[in-house]
Amino acid sequence: MDHLTRIRMDLARELLKDQTYKIYEISEMVGYGDSNYFSKQFKRMEGVYPLEFRRLYLGK
């Protein structure tokens, strides 16, 4: 299961770099129906929430 989660998070990281997608859209695109659960999983794997990751990547 962790392998699948890692693949999903890798894709999510790439999608988060594109500001045209909202967090809930990215969560659906990588296979999560619940964006809150996606955010918790992302934090568990990456150490930051998706929105924080996006801000850090974009330098804002």
Side-chain angles (χ1 to χ4, degrees), residues 9-18 53:
M9 295 307 152
D10 289 345
L11 178 56
R13 277 197 321 275
E14 291 305 310
L15 292 169
L16 284 164
K17 296 174 183 177
D18 185 345
F53 176 86

Side-chain angles (χ1 to χ4, degrees), residues 4-51:
L4 178 57
T5 302
R6 172 58 51 202
I7 291 169
R8 287 175 167 174
M9 295 307 152
D10 289 345
L11 178 56
R13 277 197 321 275
E14 291 305 310
L15 292 169
L16 284 164
K17 296 174 183 177
D18 185 345
Q19 292 185 53
T20 59
Y21 299 119
K22 303 209 181 305
I23 303 298
Y24 75 89
E25 292 174 322
I26 293 171
S27 74
E28 291 174 0
M29 292 167 83
V30 299
Y32 289 94
D34 181 346
S35 62
N36 289 326
Y37 182 71
F38 163 72
S39 291
K40 289 177 187 173
Q41 288 295 102
F42 192 90
K43 168 112 169 124
R44 186 176 71 83
M45 298 294 286
E46 305 298 330
V48 293
Y49 288 106
L51 192 55

